[in-house]
C-alpha cells in the first residue's frame, strides 16, 4: 500500500478507495436522486450504501407503490419511471389511482442502471463508521466498515441521505428528531416482512 492509496486512521493505515467531488451516504430514493444529479453535472460521485442494492425502503422493505404526490416531479422521477418501463415493469395501473407500481427488483436494477449510466460509482455493503474533519470543522474523509474491513473515502462535498442523520451525527452537527416531544411520524403503514 503506497502513500497515495492509504489513509491513517487511529494509528493504522487503511485503504483509501478514492477521492470524489461528491460522496453520498445512503442509496435510498433521495441519495440516488442526488447521485444522479451530481454525476450528470460532471461531478466524480460516490454513493456509499449500507445494504446490497439501491432504493432504500422501496426495494429493501418492499414499500410500494410510489404514492400520489402533490409536489412537483422533476427529471429524475420521470427518468426512473421510464427506466422501469424499459425494464419491463408497468408502472401505471388501469384504475387511474395515480400511483406508480413497481417490482422491487426492477426498481433496484433501474436505479443502479440510471446512476451508473450518469457516471457514478457505488460502494455497497458499507456502513459509515466515522468522519474526519479538518481544523476548519469541514469533513474531508469518511471511514466505512465493509466486509473487507475499514476503508476511507475522501471528498469535497458530502450528502447525508442516510435516513437517520448518520453522517450529521458523526460530524457532530446538531440534529433533531421528531416534534417538540421527540415523537416521530410513522413513515409508512405499508410494508412486507417474510412475503
Amino acid at each position: 500500500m503506497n502513500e497515495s492509496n492509504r489513509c491513517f486512521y487511529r494509528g493504522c493505515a487503511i485503504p483509501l478507495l478514492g477521492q470524489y467531488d461528491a460522496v453520498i451516504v445512503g442509496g435510498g430514493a433521495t441519495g440516488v436522486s442526488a447521485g444522479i444529479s451530481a454525476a450528470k453535472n460532471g461531478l466524480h460521485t460516490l454513493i456509499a450504501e449500507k445494504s446490497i442494492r439501491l432504493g432504500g425502503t422501496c426495494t429493501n422493505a418492499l414499500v410500494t407503490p410510489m404514492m400520489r404526490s402533490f409536489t412537483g416531479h422533476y427529471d429524475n422521477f420521470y427518468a426512473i419511471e421510464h427506466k422501469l418501463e424499459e425494464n419491463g415493469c408497468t408502472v401505471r395501473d388501469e384504475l387511474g389511482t395515480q400511483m406508480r407500481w413497481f417490482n422491487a427488483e426492477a426498481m433496484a436494477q433501474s436505479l443502479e442502471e440510471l446512476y451508473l449510466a450518469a457516471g457514478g460509482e457505488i460502494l455497497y455493503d458499507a456502513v459509515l463508521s466515522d468522519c474526519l474533519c479538518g481544523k476548519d470543522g469541514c469533513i474531508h474523509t469518511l471511514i466505512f466498515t465493509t466486509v473487507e474491513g475499514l476503508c476511507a473515502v475522501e471528498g469535497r462535498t458530502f450528502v447525508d441521505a442516510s435516513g437517520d442523520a448518520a453522517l450529521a451525527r458523526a460530524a457532530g452537527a446538531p440534529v433533531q428528531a421528531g416534534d417538540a416531544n421527540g415523537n416521530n411520524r410513522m413513515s409508512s403503514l405499508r410494508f412486507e416482512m417474510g412475503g
Side-chain angles (χ1 to χ4, degrees):
M1 199 180 324
N2 64 41
E3 195 71 32
S4 64
N5 61 0
R6 68 179 174 174
C7 170
F8 287 94
Y9 177 67
R10 297 189 178 187
C12 296
I14 63 172
L16 175 63
L17 299 185
Q19 299 170 321
Y20 296 87
D21 297 314
V23 179
I24 300 160
V25 177
T30 302
V32 173
S33 185
I36 291 169
S37 294
K40 277 185 176 178
N41 282 288
L43 298 179
H44 186 207
T45 305
L46 175 75
I47 292 177
E49 168 54 39
K50 68 181 179 181
S51 74
I52 59 170
R53 62 185 180 179
L54 298 178
T57 57
C58 72
T59 59
N60 296 314
L62 305 178
V63 177
T64 63
M66 289 185 270
M67 301 293 186
R68 184 177 179 191
S69 173
F70 296 96
T71 61
H73 291 145
Y74 300 97
D75 293 344
N76 292 346
F77 177 87
Y78 294 113
I80 293 167
E81 183 176 6
H82 295 310
K83 182 55 79 173
L84 281 165
E85 290 170 346
E86 282 179 24
N87 287 333
C89 188
T90 303
V91 297
R92 303 218 184 216
D93 63 28
E94 296 175 7
L95 303 174
T97 63
Q98 297 185 11
M99 291 187 255
R100 271 64 167 197
W101 296 87
F102 60 88
N103 168 287
E105 293 297 329
M107 176 62 87
Q109 176 185 348
S110 297
L111 293 174
E112 183 174 294
E113 287 175 3
L114 282 170
Y115 175 63
L116 294 176
E121 297 178 31
I122 306 170
L123 178 61
Y124 282 123
D125 202 16
V127 177
L128 178 68
S129 298
D130 203 356
C131 69
L132 307 178
C133 299
K135 291 180 181 177
D136 59 0
C138 293
I139 301 168
H140 59 77
T141 304
L142 299 183
I143 307 297
F144 292 96
T145 301
T146 70
V147 295
E148 296 179 356
L150 294 178
C151 63
V153 172
E154 293 180 348
R156 290 185 354 182
T157 302
F158 299 88
V159 176
D160 189 339
S162 66
D164 54 10
L167 177 57
R169 287 184 286 116
V175 297
Q176 178 179 339
D179 61 16
N181 298 319
N183 296 316
N184 289 302
R185 180 176 169 221
M186 186 170 287
S187 60
S188 177
L189 295 174
R190 182 186 176 99
F191 66 96
E192 295 182 29
M193 280 192 276

